Amino acid sequence: MDDFLSDAPEHVKNNYRVALRDGKPYITRRNQTVSDQLQYVDGQIVFALNRIDTPNKVLQRLKVDHKSLTPAAKQKLRTLEAQRNQAIAKRDAALKSGNAEHLKAAYKDMRAASEELGEEAARIFVEQNYPGATPLRSKLLTDGKQGQFDQLYQTEDGRLLVIEAKGGSATWGSRMAGTKRAQQGSRAYMDSIFKNYEKKLTEYIADPKYGDPNEAKFNEQVKELNRMLEHYKDMIKMDGIIDDPIEYIGVQQKASDVGIKGAIDATIFDIKNIEKG
């Protein structure tokens, strides 16, 4: 909950209460006028209301049939599917027994397995469609996944790939971009995340650990983040000079309680001619 509401003021965070109903978690609000309703979906917290000020715009949808994947890629997906199925079995057992702690652990395992399914599907999609693309640092130097992209790449011809990865039944999220809530895949959302990277980089550089010879790992991570941001800025400058200097793509490996679907879905978002957040 804290990670999901990391950008929210304290009075919004304190407006929510989490409880169990028939063994299932649900979220209520103390004051319905203060904030939007939230709910659990596949172990993740999402907005129950479709309150999106800036929705994403789809340029193209693609499907990658599992039959076209390499044996190694298929095996990775099968392994992650098995892990998710185990978590689902634990969830069902916890619901039957009414054990809240076991249910919480099962949802955590389901979420982790679903996230890794999405991450692996994204790696497979990039390898198949952008051979030779080089991974760039996307992870911040803190715990949690808020305020960052799942994957970033530099293509062989120098462009920037921004990847959102989803697994299971997860859908596109959102965040506040200025005074408006922007959906994942929108230009406003993308710009907001890069602004967050820049803010965090400034904090890391001001950290006493930066420049300390005994903090080699921290220093290298900060430099990796800086290199990524420099490339992003270079691509922003190339906008209008070359075609699609930045591509924003959502990759989904959908799954249900009976297993994963037989294809990887890719959504290419339209981030051109859209007002920046």
Side-chain angles (χ1 to χ4, degrees):
M1 176 76 78
D2 289 340
D3 285 344
F4 184 81
L5 297 173
S6 60
D7 297 329
E10 287 302 315
H11 74 279
V12 171
K13 294 179 183 179
N14 295 333
N15 193 42
Y16 293 102
R17 292 177 294 184
V18 181
L20 289 176
R21 177 182 293 163
D22 298 327
K24 297 182 180 181
Y26 72 100
I27 304 170
T28 60
R29 291 168 291 174
R30 293 182 172 88
N31 185 339
Q32 295 186 8
T33 65
V34 170
S35 56
D36 290 331
Q37 178 62 29
L38 301 177
Q39 64 183 9
Y40 279 100
V41 176
D42 200 12
Q44 299 187 72
I45 302 172
V46 298
F47 282 99
L49 301 179
N50 187 23
R51 188 177 71 82
I52 300 293
D53 301 306
T54 310
N56 62 40
K57 185 177 179 182
V58 176
L59 187 65
Q60 186 179 10
R61 298 187 193 275
L62 304 172
K63 278 190 178 291
V64 179
D65 195 304
H66 286 183
K67 294 177 182 178
S68 69
L69 303 181
T70 65
K74 292 177 184 177
Q75 183 57 50
K76 287 180 181 178
L77 292 177
R78 282 196 293 266
T79 298
L80 293 171
E81 178 184 30
Q83 292 175 6
R84 187 172 183 274
N85 289 344
Q86 288 176 1
I88 289 172
K90 290 180 181 178
R91 179 204 63 187
D92 293 343
L95 287 171
K96 186 175 181 179
S97 68
N99 189 309
E101 288 301 316
H102 289 177
L103 181 63
K104 182 179 178 181
Y107 273 127
K108 182 178 179 181
D109 289 346
M110 278 181 62
R111 182 170 62 252
S114 293
E115 288 176 352
E116 187 52 39
L117 258 176
E119 294 274 7
E120 187 59 41
R123 286 188 284 268
I124 291 169
F125 175 81
V126 171
E127 288 173 2
Q128 186 157 317
N129 292 275
Y130 299 87
T134 304
L136 300 174
R137 184 171 189 89
S138 62
K139 182 171 174 53
L140 294 170
L141 279 60
T142 51
D143 293 333
K145 299 187 68 175
Q146 298 299 313
Q148 59 192 340
F149 295 113
D150 291 315
Q151 297 173 18
L152 294 167
Y153 296 88
Q154 180 176 345
T155 64
E156 282 195 321
D157 59 3
R159 292 176 298 116
L160 176 65
L161 292 183
V162 179
I163 304 292
E164 303 283 13
K166 299 291 183 183
S169 59
T171 56
W172 308 126
S174 64
R175 68 181 273 117
M176 292 304 296
T179 60
K180 297 180 179 180
R181 180 161 292 279
Q183 187 178 27
Q184 274 184 312
S186 67
R187 179 61 182 260
Y189 186 100
M190 186 187 81
D191 289 341
S192 175
I193 294 293
F194 277 116
K195 286 178 183 177
N196 189 55
Y197 278 126
E198 291 173 341
K199 174 186 175 184
K200 293 298 184 183
L201 178 63
T202 299
E203 294 175 3
Y204 299 150
I205 291 175
D207 192 301
K209 291 190 295 185
Y210 186 65
D212 185 337
N214 296 317
E215 298 288 348
K217 181 178 179 181
F218 178 84
N219 289 329
E220 182 54 35
Q221 290 173 333
V222 174
K223 290 176 182 177
E224 289 173 352
L225 195 61
N226 184 57
R227 285 194 289 268
M228 179 275 288
L229 281 169
E230 288 300 317
H231 183 61
Y232 160 70
K233 292 173 184 177
D234 287 343
M235 291 301 98
I236 288 293
K237 293 175 184 177
M238 298 302 291
D239 196 8
I241 299 174
I242 65 174
D243 292 334
D244 303 319
I246 301 176
E247 288 191 45
Y248 195 3
I249 304 173
V251 180
Q252 298 170 289
Q253 177 53 68
K254 295 179 181 178
S256 66
D257 284 4
V258 297
I260 63 175
K261 304 301 182 182
I264 296 170
D265 294 309
T267 303
I268 300 176
F269 297 112
D270 186 354
I271 56 172
K272 291 182 178 179
N273 303 318
I274 301 175
E275 181 180 354
K276 298 181 182 181

